[in-house]
Amino acid sequence: MSSQAQIKRVTALDIRGRKGGETVVSLTAYTAPMAALADRHCDFLLVGDSLGMVVHGLDSTVPVTLEMMILHGQAVMRGSQRALVVVDMPFGSYEESPQQAFRNAARVMQETGCGAVKLEGGARMEETIRFLVERGIPVMAHIGLTPQAVNVLGGFKAQGRDRAEWPAIMADAEAVTRAGAFSVVVEAVAEPLAAEITGKVAVPTIGIGASAACDGQILVLDDMLGLTGRVPKFVKLFGNLAEGVDKAVGDYAAEVRARRFPGPAHVYAVKDKARNHLVIPGSSLRLAPE
Ligand code: KIV
């Protein structure tokens, strides 16, 4: 058996079992090479529908399709070996009915091989989450700021800064847990509320802009690498790859223009055997030496 075959992927149940234990580490990933780099550091990789903005240059996640999620999900599965891969259900693919959600979530799992799906919404999604979990689909919930609802929320706004909003957000957390979600992403929620939710629900809370009180953390990988030029308040830049890419591309362009690249090390020489033959340009004829 190859060593590759022995690597066991983290499961949704493993993540569920981390409540109150070791902090859960996760990042988004959309491509095979990035997934390969993040794999050994993360417990799960999220193929987030944020790929619409980060990779495809869209203004929001609303236009992202199931086909896009499946394509990127397949790439992330190919690039990773160890981390659980969770694929986001895009807007319009699960809200209509539990049956619609099941049909599309099953397709995501069958066509990507991922270990779980994530969907946005709290109490309003309770029935759907229960329907999926009872039929074998592990679900990660997502409450607080739910970017697919940007058009009704009126923008990407932090949630729970006004205490009057707390009961509804807490009710969302309790509803998705009751429904059987193995974990819940808590996005852009005021710190004391995130702490209260984490203390109350029995599954790990995964914070993004929701403080270190959560059981785990997630960030958009490209944001924290400084690749998107987008630095929301809750993002820390752990690298500045945009600078590195700009420098590398600039150096390449300068060397190409100056005809310094490609240099002798980057070209193919003619093989010895062929060197003894007379090659007729424009023909496949090779004349043997006399
Ligand atoms: O789509 C995404 O990247 C997400 C994370 C921000 C949690 O849902």
Side-chain angles (χ1 to χ4, degrees), residues 7-218:
I7 295 175
K8 187 185 163 303
R9 264 197 203 269
V10 176
T11 65
L13 264 185
D14 294 332
I15 300 294
R16 166 75 185 76
R18 295 276 284 274
K19 181 69 185 181
E22 202 189 329
T23 307
V24 179
V25 179
S26 61
L27 284 167
T28 64
Y30 316 119
T31 65
M34 285 304 215
L37 289 170
D39 189 41
R40 73 191 180 96
H41 301 287
C42 290
D43 300 305
F44 75 86
L45 297 173
L46 172 68
V47 186
D49 61 352
S50 51
L51 64 82
M53 297 153 95
V54 175
V55 179
H56 294 274
L58 297 167
D59 286 337
S60 77
T61 56
V62 173
V64 173
T65 64
L66 200 61
E67 284 66 32
M68 288 161 81
M69 297 311 301
I70 289 172
L71 200 64
H72 286 279
Q74 289 168 338
V76 170
M77 282 299 293
R78 283 193 288 265
S80 62
Q81 298 177 51
R82 201 195 66 83
L84 168 69
V85 173
V86 182
V87 176
D88 250 343
M89 296 299 293
F91 179 67
S93 71
Y94 61 95
E95 302 90 332
E96 199 177 308
S97 65
Q99 288 76 9
Q100 181 213 24
F102 180 80
R103 200 165 45 249
N104 288 326
R107 195 177 149 204
V108 167
M109 294 199 66
Q110 286 173 332
E111 294 185 27
T112 67
C114 72
V117 299
K118 175 168 83 59
L119 53 83
E120 294 184 8
R124 70 188 163 85
M125 281 296 135
E126 180 174 352
E127 189 193 346
T128 295
I129 295 173
R130 183 170 299 112
F131 193 88
L132 297 186
V133 174
E134 282 174 353
R135 285 159 183 77
I137 298 184
V139 177
M140 176 176 282
H142 184 156
I143 63 165
L145 172 60
T146 48
Q148 290 174 11
V150 61
N151 292 314
V152 284
L153 292 175
F156 299 102
K157 289 189 198 139
Q159 306 289 300
R161 297 187 82 179
D162 178 346
R163 283 180 188 267
E165 296 169 5
W166 284 29
I169 300 171
M170 180 58 83
D172 280 344
E174 290 178 322
V176 297
T177 310
R178 207 166 39 237
F182 69 91
S183 172
V184 54
V185 168
V186 180
E187 179 163 355
V189 163
E191 179 169 19
L193 176 57
E196 205 166 301
I197 292 171
T198 301
K200 206 143 195 190
V201 299
V203 299
T205 55
I206 309 297
I208 172 162
S211 88
C214 294
D215 297 300
Q217 297 295 324
I218 187 160

